[in-house]
Amino acid sequence: MSWRAEVVERLRSLLYRGREERELEEELRFHLEMEEEANVRRGLEVGEARRQARLSLGGVERTKEEFRDARGVRPLEDAARDVRLSFRSFGRSPGFTATAVLVLALGIGATTAIFSAVRAVVLKPLPFSEPDRLYMLWESNPEMGWEQETAAPANFLDWKERVSAFEDVEAYNWYPFQATLTGLDEPHVLNVTEVTGGFFSMVGVEPMLGRTFTEEETWATGETPVLLSARTWRTLFGGKREAVGSPITVNGAGARVVGVMPEGFSFPTPDVDLWGAFGWERESRTEAWFRRAHWLRPVARLARDATPDQADAQLQGVAARLQEEHPVLNQAMGAGMSPLHGFLLGDTRTPLLVLLGAVGVLLLIACANVGNLLLVRAAGRRRDLAVRAALGAGRGRLARQVLAESFALAGLGGAAGITLGVAGTRLLERLQPEGLLRVSSFPVDAAVVGFAVAITAATAVLFSLFPTLFARRSGPGEALREVGRGGIAGRGSHRVVGGLVVAEVALALVLVLGAGLLVRSVLRLQQVDPGFDARGVASVTLNLPSSRYDSPERITAFYDELLARTRALTGVVAAGASTTMPLRDRGFTSDFFIAGRAPDDYGSNTVRRRATPGYFETMGVPLVRGRLFTEADAASGERVAVINDAMARQYFPDQDPIGQRIIGDRIPDSTSVWRTIVGVVGGERQSALATPPQIEMIDPFRQYTSRRMHVYFRVASGDPTRLVPAVRSIVRELDDDLPLYDAVDMAAVHGDSMARDRFLALLLLTFAAVALVLALVGVYGITSQAARQRLPELGLRMALGARASDIVRLTLGRSFALVATGLAIGIAAALLATRAMGGMLYGVAPHDPVTFALLAGLLAAAGVAASWLPARRAAGVDPARTLRAE
């Protein structure tokens, strides 16, 4: 019989067991009757004939068992019987069952939720064809402190043409922007990303409708093609196929929809609404700005016959030649490549893996806790085990019963855990702060459910390990001798329970220390001065379309009128605008040169932005020296600039920067525009609280206009965002087709800059709190169990004159020894584990001695407190009653 036929036969026997049992009964009855008749014919009396027939058959029940064994379903039947007995046993112990299921559900649920995020971000491949052949290309420059920075368009095109180890190289704009879609019922703000024409063909993404861009559309073709996301196509265009090919207006300019991208596709960020082709002018290829401006993220597909080392060698060679060919624009400019998936993960990998490790530790603590519960339960069931062993149940049979009970318990905990995991996943999706992960949803698919089932089975094996060994070691004689002792017998069992408690304390300490470090880091961040006063300030963002605002005069007139009307609103005390928002974006950077310095004494990587008069007053940025911008700093006036104090300290340490002349170029020439420094302001933190202010040069908006501006206004009291509708009304009065977007309270922006750190600290703190409670429950349980077992000894000691304090000290001794051992192991493990958190901390070392000492001491105190009540209860026993009972 083939193995498939054998499996089918065994399943049939198991499913139709009742019918086969009846057929077996009828067949055995027939054989017994025939044998009995034969015995009667040989002269035996009826009773003896029936007895001899049964003897010749070898016993009816034994024959039935042999037949069941021959069917090969006996182990399955035994397992099913054990599971049914387990569930009946759980019904008799609802407290134990509820506690164990809750502990397991917490561990499995938390692990499932975090794994769903890890899989969606770290493990799930990119939605591209053969993503393992895709590499991110980047530029580096030691003189500017650049590493893995964006690339200049001209350099990207040279890589594309000269590196033969790449099958193709395409690029996208690293700085997605917002654009206004008009012509529908009302203006809509869309998140836009620009790409080169062959980008989607190179990565292997086909549109749902229409086509993607062509290679020629990297350059200007006379028409602006765009691709819609599936979400935008449904919500704004009604999901109509006719949307493909239709003209639309984006930022006041005409464009045409050429396709709709697949459902769920969004790259490089989760919220892209529209993709556009760059449409560069071909003459830009030879212009200096095309090699000076760095804002592209090139993606290369490795040729099938090339290796990454070969491609990197060729790339380095091309970068070296470009330094020689363009010594000014490409001085010290290197290049490199990284696997695309790993590059996009960036600094999100470490927090996720730390969280996954944390929930893994929590799951181990849950297993140890349930294991202890099962050991205590086994101790209470020794009478039952003793009777079964005495009636002939082997050690293996008893162990299988305990194992079946463990798996049944794990099944209940796993089902509850998966339910909690799904809810936790949805909660993570809603609560995750911006910038934590590069995806917005974590699908609970077959892989996640399979993982949850696998860890459920693994936990069943883990927490059943010691109770199963305990059952296998319980022989009939030993078991009967232990009946009535009321505890876990044997030094080995005591060592097992103690070892599990030590493990719980050690693992809990690792989690507590990790959470403590993150909490201290968040507290340090909260004390950081952002360089501005966010209280009472709100911001709105506008982006003027080039078709209607095609000159500096029109741009200046619009913002002047908007700011004047905003300042006139009741409750507004100041208003201003800037091209960047602190703590969110730093703007662009450039070289600079200070008049009177040596030709090679230039500066690099200064942050550049533009601001209107009133901006610094509105934001509460202090004036350190000189003056701020005024209405007199107009396009027709002397070119001026304001620098921050970081630049003043670094480049003017021994002189007054006021009156110094500066340009935004490395080497001055006839086209250089000199600015006079008129003021020094305090340093605003440009990109993050954890990053000190970079050197910065600010130009007056009237001299260097920008269509896209953040408009800020400060109110005397109350919530500043209450005036956003009034500002929106002003904008509509000035331009009815101009949407106002990204209205935010700057206090919220300040808080959001710490949101990721707070979120991680809160999650880890939650896991640590659960782990700590479980560990303390374990300490309490073993202290209570030990005190109960030692009641005769303690009663004798008290009868001989021992005081209650002596009994308390004696009872606490073993518990404290276990806690101290767990703390020592936990500190050693934490010294290794917290190294991975170095990049997640601000102002706190991964091995911060204060945090380690304080939290280890608190955990030790909590362990003693958990042991105190059982110890006091043991000290209050009546020695006479205890001795009489013994």
Side-chain angles (χ1 to χ4, degrees):
M1 181 184 296
S2 68
W3 66 270
R4 291 188 180 87
E6 185 175 351
V7 169
V8 171
E9 179 64 24
R10 292 189 178 186
L11 287 176
R12 192 183 69 82
S13 298
L14 187 63
L15 293 175
Y16 299 101
R17 178 188 172 195
R19 187 180 68 184
E20 294 204 356
E21 288 287 335
R22 289 193 298 273
E23 292 175 354
L24 177 60
E25 289 278 357
E26 293 174 0
E27 186 174 352
L28 288 175
R29 188 181 305 111
F30 173 76
H31 283 291
L32 284 173
E33 290 175 354
M34 295 297 295
E35 186 67 24
E36 183 179 343
E37 290 178 3
N39 290 337
V40 169
R41 285 196 298 270
R42 287 198 297 269
L44 297 178
E45 294 183 359
V46 174
E48 182 63 19
R50 183 178 296 112
R51 190 178 74 84
Q52 289 295 331
R54 289 180 175 274
L55 288 175
S56 66
L57 194 61
V60 175
E61 293 303 321
R62 180 178 177 182
T63 302
K64 288 182 180 181
E65 292 297 322
E66 289 175 353
F67 177 78
R68 294 187 186 108
D69 292 341
R71 287 188 301 169
V73 296
R74 179 67 175 273
L76 296 177
E77 292 177 350
D78 287 344
R81 187 181 301 111
D82 288 339
V83 170
R84 289 196 299 271
L85 289 174
S86 298
F87 280 110
R88 284 202 293 269
S89 175
F90 295 157
R92 292 192 295 269
S93 307
F96 160 80
T97 305
T99 302
V101 168
L102 177 61
V103 169
L104 287 175
L106 287 173
I108 294 172
T111 306
T112 301
I114 298 299
F115 175 78
S116 68
V118 171
R119 180 176 182 275
V121 178
V122 179
L123 303 179
K124 192 174 182 179
L126 293 171
F128 300 143
S129 172
E130 299 181 273
D132 56 315
R133 292 173 54 208
L134 296 177
Y135 287 81
M136 180 71 78
L137 307 186
W138 38 264
E139 291 190 320
S140 61
N141 192 314
E143 290 187 0
M144 298 185 179
W146 288 3
E147 182 63 28
Q148 298 191 353
E149 280 290 345
T150 51
N155 290 340
F156 145 70
L157 291 171
D158 286 326
W159 298 342
K160 178 181 176 70
E161 295 166 358
R162 301 189 191 186
V163 181
S164 61
F166 293 141
E167 184 177 287
D168 192 10
V169 183
E170 302 293 338
Y172 63 91
N173 190 344
W174 183 242
Y175 303 100
F177 57 92
Q178 291 175 308
T180 305
L181 174 67
T182 54
L184 302 180
D185 52 347
E186 61 181 33
H188 297 275
V189 176
L190 303 182
N191 298 311
V192 181
T193 292
E194 293 177 313
V195 300
T196 54
F199 183 84
F200 293 114
S201 298
M202 189 266 290
V203 298
V205 177
E206 296 294 331
M208 181 169 61
L209 293 175
R211 64 172 179 87
T212 57
F213 304 130
T214 64
E215 189 73 40
E216 291 74 23
E217 287 169 335
T218 299
W219 307 96
T221 60
E223 185 178 57
T224 303
V226 297
L227 291 164
L228 302 177
S229 71
R231 180 183 64 252
T232 303
W233 174 62
R234 285 195 316 272
T235 57
L236 299 186
F237 294 86
K240 298 177 180 178
R241 301 181 68 90
E242 294 78 16
V244 177
S246 63
I248 61 174
T249 303
V250 180
N251 274 355
R256 186 171 299 277
V257 177
V258 298
V260 178
M261 297 305 284
E263 194 73 48
F265 177 81
S266 185
F267 182 88
T269 58
D271 56 354
V272 180
D273 299 310
L274 180 145
W275 290 267
F278 280 120
W280 295 324
E281 297 294 337
R282 292 189 181 275
E283 54 267 23
S284 298
R285 179 77 185 266
T286 59
E287 296 178 359
W289 74 269
F290 215 56
R291 202 173 296 274
R292 178 183 289 123
H294 299 259
W295 46 280
L296 289 184
R297 280 298 183 192
V299 178
R301 181 174 289 279
L302 193 67
R304 294 188 181 277
D305 58 349
T307 66
D309 290 340
Q310 291 172 339
D312 186 60
Q314 290 186 22
L315 181 63
Q316 300 304 325
V318 171
R321 288 194 295 275
L322 289 177
Q323 291 182 26
E324 298 173 357
E325 295 170 10
H326 307 279
V328 176
L329 298 175
N330 265 38
Q331 181 176 330
M333 195 69 68
M337 54 187 286
S338 303
L340 180 60
H341 194 193
F343 184 91
L344 294 176
L345 284 178
D347 60 355
T348 62
R349 181 196 296 267
T350 298
L352 277 178
L353 294 183
V354 166
L355 288 177
L356 188 61
V359 295
V361 169
L362 179 63
L363 188 59
L364 288 175
I365 294 174
C367 290
N369 207 276
V370 175
N372 259 336
L373 288 174
L374 287 174
L375 277 171
V376 173
R377 176 178 169 83
R381 297 175 59 198
R382 290 189 64 81
R383 182 183 299 276
D384 175 55
L385 294 176
V387 171
R388 290 173 180 268
L391 292 176
R395 295 182 177 182
R397 184 68 188 85
L398 295 176
R400 287 198 300 273
Q401 182 185 346
V402 174
L403 193 61
E405 184 172 297
S406 300
F407 270 88
L409 193 62
L412 292 174
I418 292 174
T419 304
L420 285 179
V422 172
T425 298
R426 300 295 170 256
L427 192 62
L428 275 176
E429 290 175 352
R430 288 196 298 270
L431 298 183
Q432 67 156 326
E434 183 178 353
L436 175 63
L437 305 176
R438 62 178 182 85
V439 297
S440 58
S441 64
F442 320 127
V444 182
D445 52 17
V448 175
V449 174
F451 171 81
V453 172
I455 62 170
T456 299
T459 54
V461 173
L462 278 176
F463 67 67
S464 68
L465 183 61
F466 293 113
T468 303
L469 293 176
F470 170 72
R472 287 182 60 85
R473 292 168 55 185
S474 298
E478 178 188 356
L480 288 171
R481 285 192 300 270
E482 294 299 331
V483 171
R485 291 193 179 183
I488 298 176
R491 294 183 177 179
S493 298
H494 284 299
R495 283 196 296 268
V496 168
V497 174
L500 290 175
V501 171
V502 167
E504 288 186 62
V505 172
L507 293 172
L509 181 61
V510 172
L511 278 184
V512 168
L513 288 174
L517 291 171
L518 277 179
V519 169
R520 288 202 66 193
S521 176
V522 171
L523 293 177
R524 290 287 180 89
L525 273 178
Q526 289 177 339
Q527 297 170 1
V528 172
D529 180 10
F532 63 94
D533 183 5
R535 295 169 297 180
V537 178
S539 170
V540 297
T541 304
L542 295 101
N543 194 359
L544 308 183
S546 58
S547 59
R548 297 197 302 277
Y549 299 88
D550 54 358
S551 68
E553 292 76 18
R554 290 186 176 182
I555 297 171
T556 302
F558 175 87
Y559 281 111
D560 281 350
E561 183 67 18
L562 173 61
L563 290 173
R565 294 194 186 188
T566 301
R567 293 188 187 104
L569 291 174
T570 302
V572 173
V573 296
S578 171
T579 51
T580 64
M581 181 177 290
L583 297 179
R584 281 197 175 180
D585 57 279
R586 67 176 188 178
F588 68 97
T589 61
S590 74
D591 298 331
F592 62 94
F593 184 81
I594 301 169
R597 306 277 173 105
D600 60 349
D601 188 12
Y602 55 83
S604 298
N605 223 27
T606 182
V607 174
R608 302 288 300 277
R609 61 173 166 142
R610 299 152 194 177
T612 67
Y615 167 77
F616 297 109
E617 297 92 332
T618 303
M619 294 296 289
V621 179
L623 176 66
V624 177
R625 189 178 302 169
R627 69 171 177 86
L628 302 174
F629 297 137
T630 67
E631 302 294 336
D633 297 318
S636 58
E638 178 190 12
R639 301 287 166 151
V640 298
V642 168
I643 64 173
N644 67 355
D645 55 358
M647 190 173 190
R649 287 192 304 269
Q650 184 171 344
Y651 287 92
F652 303 94
D654 302 317
Q655 62 183 135
D656 188 353
I658 305 301
Q660 298 289 331
R661 298 172 67 237
I662 189 172
I663 59 172
D665 300 309
R666 176 178 296 191
I667 300 175
D669 57 29
S670 59
T671 63
S672 298
V673 179
W674 290 93
R675 301 161 175 81
T676 300
I677 298 175
V678 297
V680 178
V681 295
E684 298 171 77
R685 305 232 167 188
Q686 295 101 342
S687 54
L689 279 174
T691 305
Q694 293 181 252
I695 61 172
E696 186 171 28
M697 181 167 65
I698 305 104
D699 293 317
F701 169 75
R702 287 170 170 267
Q703 295 180 349
Y704 302 92
T705 57
S706 171
R707 294 185 181 88
R708 186 177 187 273
M709 297 289 285
H710 300 281
V711 177
Y712 304 89
F713 56 90
R714 178 179 291 277
V715 299
S717 61
D719 179 11
T721 58
R722 74 182 189 276
L723 293 180
V724 168
V727 176
R728 182 177 285 110
S729 297
I730 295 173
V731 171
R732 286 180 176 172
E733 291 173 7
L734 296 175
D735 189 333
D736 191 44
D737 283 337
L738 190 63
L740 178 152
Y741 57 96
D742 201 19
V744 293
D745 185 337
M746 290 307 296
V749 172
H750 182 213
D752 289 345
S753 65
M754 298 177 285
R756 166 175 164 157
D757 301 88
R758 282 200 304 263
F759 182 73
L760 293 173
L762 179 62
L763 275 183
L764 205 56
L765 194 61
T766 302
F767 299 152
V770 175
L772 181 60
V773 170
L774 293 179
L776 294 180
V777 167
V779 172
Y780 175 86
I782 192 173
T783 305
S784 300
Q785 183 69 12
R788 191 178 305 114
Q789 289 178 318
R790 298 181 66 181
L791 281 179
E793 174 196 345
L794 298 178
L796 181 60
R797 287 177 179 271
M798 295 184 71
L800 294 176
R803 294 172 298 181
S805 58
D806 298 326
I807 300 301
V808 170
R809 203 161 39 247
L810 182 67
T811 306
L812 288 179
R814 182 169 183 264
S815 298
F816 186 76
L818 294 176
V819 172
T821 303
L823 292 177
I825 297 173
I827 289 175
L831 289 173
L832 298 175
T834 54
R835 288 181 183 177
M837 300 177 60
M840 301 167 56
L841 303 176
Y842 175 80
V844 181
H847 301 155
D848 180 55
V850 175
T851 304
F852 272 62
L854 179 63
L855 294 180
L858 288 176
L859 188 53
V864 172
S867 307
W868 181 258
L869 184 60
R872 289 295 304 170
R873 190 182 300 120
V877 301
D878 183 356
R881 181 181 300 175
T882 303
L883 292 176
R884 281 197 301 269
E886 183 65 14

